[in-house]
Amino acid sequence: MAVYEERIPQVKQQRPRRRGNRKLVILLVLFFLTILIIVFIRSPYSKVQEIRVIGNDIYTTEQIITQSGLMKDMQFLNVWENSVRNNMKPLEAIKDVTVSRSFPGLITLHITEQKRVAFWSGQDRSRYALLDNGYVLKQVNFAKRVVDRPLISSWASPELLPHLAKSLSKLSPDVLAEISDITLTPTVYDKQRVTLYMRDGNEVRSVIYKLDKMMNWYPAIVKDLPPDTKGVLSLFEQPWFIPYGAQGAIPIQEGQEQPQQ
């Protein structure tokens, strides 16, 4: 008997199949996910409820939102950064824009603009921003806004504006804020001579290609001048100062440390 039992093949016990159960679970999960998506799309949480703009100075918040193509109540998930960037291209002073999303329904546009370094004054009393890349932005008229940058007048050489813009962009904010007006005053020997009228009552004469270096000395130089004395400060190779109504010049002492930009 033992010999016959060894020859009889043993039948393996098969485990019950669970494929049917797995398919049912997957179908149920897909079903509930579909229901959740439909409920979300129809709920207020799927809509854009608020649009914020951060970092804008030249353009108003309304201008940026309108140009972006974004609107309240549009689908929150349909906001694409590349699309917003393409829509922003007509706004010439915008360098970059990034989009961030926050639930529920908040879209934030982070704007990076070109820096304003001066104002270009038109003959019709218009006022346009001179950007740090040398471009005069005529999309926005600043005539009704506070003059917080130097005003350019009597400028007969537009080709020199990019050079001026580059120099002004390197000035410290405090020094740039002290300049009231800039006028091109060329000579036979130097076409880049400029005259700067300061808000403290002084007048500075220099050249465009030296402004970014020489003008950052201005606060330290003025500090060492006689009290309550206004006049003409020449910032060339050797700075000197002539008080208004005086005949002789006051030499500027060397050895002062240039302020950090």
Side-chain angles (χ1 to χ4, degrees), residues 233-257:
L233 175 64
S234 294
L235 296 179
F236 297 102
E237 295 297 336
Q238 175 60 46
W240 47 268
F241 178 77
I242 301 179
Y244 291 131
Q247 298 295 327
I250 298 177
I252 304 299
Q253 295 182 357
E254 297 183 357
Q256 298 172 333
E257 294 185 0

Side-chain angles (χ1 to χ4, degrees), residues 196-210:
L196 287 68
Y197 299 93
M198 310 302 291
R199 298 186 189 278
D200 60 7
N202 288 318
E203 180 181 327
V204 177
R205 296 175 184 175
S206 188
V207 287
I208 295 175
Y209 51 86
K210 287 184 178 293

